[in-house]
Amino acid sequence: MIRTDRAARISLTVVAATGVVIAGLLTPQLAGAAPLAPAVSAPAAAAASSSGPSTVLRTAAKPKPKKYANCTAINKVYPHGVGKKGAKDKVRGSTKRVTNFTVDSATYKLNSKSDRDKDGIACEKR
């Protein structure tokens, strides 16, 4: 998803198929123009390379694989369920497949008891 604000800063968010979220804020600078105020916090700006562009990318921390008590607990961390690589939602009739589940084979293996239809996705939910 790409968004711009009134200061011409560009917000970029990418969600990989593995569920990893990469987000950044780009501040374009015209040649000869004074630098714009940083669009990120001071700690984040300090982490950026001083020789490269002033773009800071942050990745959301991936939860450590663990066994959950039930689907309610799984869906708090993985809102659309968690599945193994290559899994496809099993559906009947004209129901649409859930495709936005998180792919994490280790977490799925620990919680495969919650995959009632044995399609490789535990606790899938729209």
Side-chain angles (χ1 to χ4, degrees):
M1 178 184 328
I2 300 175
R3 293 185 180 166
T4 59
D5 63 11
R6 291 183 183 180
R9 292 180 300 213
I10 302 168
S11 172
L12 174 68
T13 305
V14 178
V15 180
T18 59
V20 175
V21 178
I22 302 172
L25 193 60
L26 306 172
T27 307
Q29 185 175 347
L30 301 173
L36 297 172
V40 295
S41 63
S49 170
S50 61
S51 62
S54 62
T55 303
V56 177
L57 295 178
R58 297 174 301 278
T59 26
K62 185 177 178 182
K64 186 176 178 182
K66 73 176 207 176
K67 188 173 184 175
Y68 294 91
N70 52 39
C71 282
T72 302
I74 290 174
N75 289 140
K76 285 182 181 176
V77 180
Y78 303 100
H80 302 285
V82 63
K84 59 186 177 181
K85 185 176 180 182
K88 289 187 180 174
D89 188 20
K90 186 189 297 182
V91 295
R92 292 188 299 166
S94 61
T95 307
K96 290 186 177 182
R97 296 180 188 268
V98 174
T99 57
N100 54 349
F101 61 90
T102 302
V103 177
D104 185 345
S105 296
T107 301
Y108 173 79
K109 187 174 180 180
L110 292 171
N111 296 283
S112 60
K113 68 171 180 62
S114 296
D115 183 6
R116 296 187 329 168
D117 57 1
K118 307 297 180 208
D119 60 359
I121 309 164
C123 304
E124 61 265 34
K125 183 167 88 169
R126 292 203 147 282

